[in-house]
Amino acid sequence: IPWSEFANLKDDKLLNDQFNLETPSIIVYRYIAFNTNNPKLEDKRVRKALDHLFDRDQIYNTVYYGNKNPVVGPIHPSKPYYNKGLKIRSFDVEKAKSLLKEAGWEDTDNNGIVDKMIDGEKVGMEFELIYASNYTDYVGLTNIFKGQAIKAGVKINTKTMNSQAYTAAYRARNFDAMINSSLWYPINKDLYSRCHTNG
């Protein structure tokens, strides 16, 4: 059930008298993949800055009505080998600005977008974030992300694609950034296929 409808159902007394509404844990997660072949995104400081611009609290509380939990990677927190020592980066616009500046990105023409010389050409920090059209939660998620990113001078253009076009772009690595999700079955998992370079 979409989260918006589920939230309304929880307030329906008649329905709650007859049914139990549950939100069981499942081994599924959402993530944003960045194409590091794009010279704008190849510097890890830029990707760290973008992580600091991802307002998880706002996204979880508004898009998912408080029903999602952050994880630091593809391992479910119930697993004994989940790394509890890894910390999720905080939402911090000033930290993001600092990292971008450290990586050479500054707003030299005062247009609100940070820029940098790459291969002799001045380019703005602007990229496209694609997502599949059959995930309604991605609309809210991307709106929040791009709204926060612009505060640090990063312009994110979002594009919805049908599943076939999205999958083709994913397989061809023809994207700047993309939102994806992953569902795992609750069995012992060989991580090679998902996490190794040759996977």
Side-chain angles (χ1 to χ4, degrees), residues 96-181:
K97 287 179 179 178
S98 174
L99 284 164
L100 288 166
K101 186 175 182 179
E102 192 180 306
W105 293 91
E106 294 187 77
D107 185 5
T108 61
D109 50 14
N110 296 312
N111 68 349
I113 308 297
V114 294
D115 53 75
K116 180 180 179 178
M117 296 297 291
I118 297 178
D119 296 330
E121 179 184 357
K122 185 170 80 169
V123 296
M125 178 48 79
E126 181 177 353
F127 63 89
E128 186 175 73
L129 174 63
I130 64 171
Y131 61 94
S133 57
N134 51 327
Y135 292 93
T136 55
D137 55 319
Y138 289 173
V139 177
L141 186 155
T142 55
N143 284 337
I144 291 170
F145 187 28
K146 69 182 182 180
Q148 299 293 14
I150 199 65
K151 294 176 182 177
V154 177
K155 185 176 181 183
I156 300 175
N157 301 309
T158 57
K159 182 179 179 182
T160 309
M161 307 175 81
N162 66 46
S163 294
Q164 189 174 14
Y166 174 86
T167 301
Y170 171 72
R171 289 182 176 161
R173 305 294 189 261
N174 184 23
F175 63 90
D176 298 329
M178 68 185 320
I179 305 177
N180 210 339
S181 63

